[in-house]
Amino acid sequence: PVVLLSGEVQQDNCRAIGLYPKFGFQTVGIFPALVEVGETYVNFRRMALIFDRGALAFAPEAAAEWR
């Protein structure tokens, strides 16, 4: 089965935005002014990863990384 994992990252969180791609995530959208923090609105970035979970069954070393 194909699996979609996604998450939102605050646009100014450079460490998270740099980390997600290391695990195969890509930016799929930006939500402008999604959350109000104090008196300002903050943009969020949606990161997503799509993978075939069945393919991991044939590569045990890769599957171990996803557990």
Side-chain angles (χ1 to χ4, degrees), residues 1-37:
V2 175
V3 177
L4 168 68
L5 299 174
S6 69
E8 285 79 35
V9 178
Q10 192 168 320
Q11 184 67 29
D12 63 355
N13 188 343
C14 297
R15 291 180 71 188
I17 291 170
L19 181 65
Y20 271 77
K22 292 180 181 181
F23 293 97
F25 285 79
Q26 296 180 333
T27 298
V28 295
I30 295 178
F31 299 98
L34 182 67
V35 175
E36 184 178 7
V37 177

Side-chain angles (χ1 to χ4, degrees), residues 28-63:
V28 295
I30 295 178
F31 299 98
L34 182 67
V35 175
E36 184 178 7
V37 177
E39 295 183 8
T40 48
Y41 286 89
V42 179
N43 297 341
F44 271 72
R45 182 183 291 220
R46 174 163 287 169
M47 308 291 286
L49 170 66
I50 299 173
F51 68 95
D52 182 354
R53 189 176 175 131
L56 294 177
F58 300 106
E61 66 283 352

